[in-house]
Amino acid sequence: MEESSASAPLWVGRFEQPMDGAAWALNASLDVDRRLALEDVRVNQAWAEALHEAGVLSAAERDAIVAGLGGIAHEFQTGTFGFQAGDEDIHTAVERRLRELVGPLGGKIATGRSRNDLVATDFRLWLMGQLPHLEGALIQVQMALLAQAESSGDVYLPGYTHLQRAQPVLLAHWWLAYFWMLERDRQRLGDLYPRVAVMPMGAAALAGAGFPIDREKLAQRLGFLAVSPNSLDAVADRDFAAEFLFIAAMLGVHLSQLAEMIVLFTSQEFGFLELPDAFATGSSLMPQKKNPDIFELTRAKAGVLLGHLTALMTVLKGLPLAYNKDLQEDKPQVFAAVDTLLALLPVLAAALRAISINANRMREAVSAELMATDLADYLVEQGLPFREAHAVVGQVVRQALALGRPITDLNEQTLKAIHPLLNQDALVVFDPVQSLARRNLSGGSGPHAVAAQVQAARAALAQRYVPGLGETMRSKRTSEP
Ligand code: ARG
């Protein structure tokens, strides 16, 4: 049989007519999957080794193929690889170039493998390489939150439920709430890693390669932790991509919640926080404006990230076993989510660090009513059941509202009339510092508890959940073709 021409599709033998031009363009995925170029070369090199060990390639053939692929990697790294109009996807391009460089021998690399197992293997390797970068970027944001917490001292502000002032909390406690959300996202990235690091190679198109490939050895060579246990599942499984997109969406939701509070807190109505000039924008019309665009975009990215998750889940729904071309729609979603996060996280980290606080505005917002629960707790200490205490304090609040006076202005006579246990000395509970001091149980918003929390956050940051860049995972994002 003749070697097919360099630019013909890989399936040329079966067909009489060339493919319709527009259909060809729709079918092609090179614009997206060229980002897998270096992974594709690495997998092919390891595959050549495995073919040699399985007795398919002689040592000389293996060496020629591995060297040819090395040349291709060099072309990708130096930006000199020439893509051709007939390159349907990255796998086609690499194989076409290999045949140009080493002749018909290059066609032997396709033995026992399909683009179905190849693309899944490349894609997983690529994501394995990105997870450490994502964890690193996430750590930067956590460090910014921790730095804010550490520099906020004894500043307190109202904590909210239903966006109504509820009880005083330390500002450090407020910043750290977001720290722990991101800590869980980082843990999720680490939990995901072993499910990404499962090697499909050897599954071939769907039924497994027809040659005795040592898959464990191949997996080890490529830096995978395990081999897929079922060839049908191996080429169809995109759980790892969907799980990643969930983590990205969850992280996006956390960041959007933080961003929303910063948008609120930097508004003149709140005035709790001040945007740094370097991370704010102005208005083209209103000279006085200072707008929180960066945080508004952060808020919006959650929607975009959730869209990627929804898109992939919907693509996967109802697919018959095993590979279907629908699966080609997996990569744009994951690539876009990674790009969004790696663009967003560093900006957010720097912006959060540079935010300044208006401690007086925060303190002023903590009016006496926010300590109503403390007054109920005081009555509990005098032996009243909490339910009754709650009702008594409710009457106190109502009385103050009726008189149009702060709760702290009520005199002993008025208080005693509401309940005999309400002495003047009960009014000490209206000190926010006292209120915070009562909340030093672990995880509470009291100063000692928060100091311990800061230590716990520091210790958490010293942990890495995603395995670092291993020997086989040195490919930097910057060297992507
Ligand atoms: N470009 C394809 C993808 O991204 C590669 C696999 C093609 N396999 C096939 N049988 N046509 O999924």
Side-chain angles (χ1 to χ4, degrees), residues 20-105:
D20 171 83
W24 194 91
L26 179 68
N27 189 52
S29 58
L30 183 66
D31 281 350
V32 172
D33 58 33
R34 58 196 290 166
R35 293 180 70 165
L36 301 178
L38 292 175
E39 285 75 15
D40 199 73
V41 169
R42 272 176 51 209
V43 174
N44 274 304
Q45 284 181 320
W47 186 246
E49 199 65 54
L51 285 176
H52 167 62
E53 285 162 5
V56 178
L57 294 179
S58 71
E61 288 174 327
R62 173 205 58 196
D63 291 347
I65 288 175
V66 169
L69 289 163
I72 294 173
H74 183 74
E75 290 179 354
F76 282 131
Q77 277 154 346
T78 54
T80 55
F81 185 95
F83 286 106
Q84 289 187 0
D87 293 338
E88 180 193 337
D89 56 24
I90 190 62
H91 326 291
T92 317
V94 168
E95 194 179 319
R96 185 262 306 157
R97 183 68 182 136
L98 182 63
R99 280 185 278 130
E100 283 171 10
L101 289 174
V102 307
L105 166 66

Side-chain angles (χ1 to χ4, degrees), residues 11 27-30 32-33 36 88-92 114-120 123 205 235 238 323-332:
W11 60 79
N27 189 52
S29 58
L30 183 66
V32 172
D33 58 33
L36 301 178
E88 180 193 337
D89 56 24
I90 190 62
H91 326 291
T92 317
S114 153
R115 285 180 296 162
N116 298 355
D117 58 350
L118 189 54
V119 71
F123 191 20
V235 291
R238 294 296 184 275
Y323 179 83
N324 300 274
K325 197 56 172 267
D326 311 51
L327 293 174
Q328 184 165 282
E329 297 292 347
D330 56 0
K331 288 171 289 298

Side-chain angles (χ1 to χ4, degrees), residues 2 4 6 25-26 32 38 40 84 94 135 159 165 231 233 239 266 291 294 318-319 377 424 436 439 453-454 480:
E2 261 183 37
S4 59
L26 179 68
V32 172
L38 292 175
D40 199 73
Q84 289 187 0
V94 168
E135 178 171 32
R165 289 176 185 172
S231 63
D233 183 38
D239 294 9
T266 54
N291 292 331
I294 295 303
L319 286 187
D377 289 346
Q424 196 72 36
L436 288 166
R439 289 173 169 77
Q453 200 188 142
V454 165
E480 271 177 16

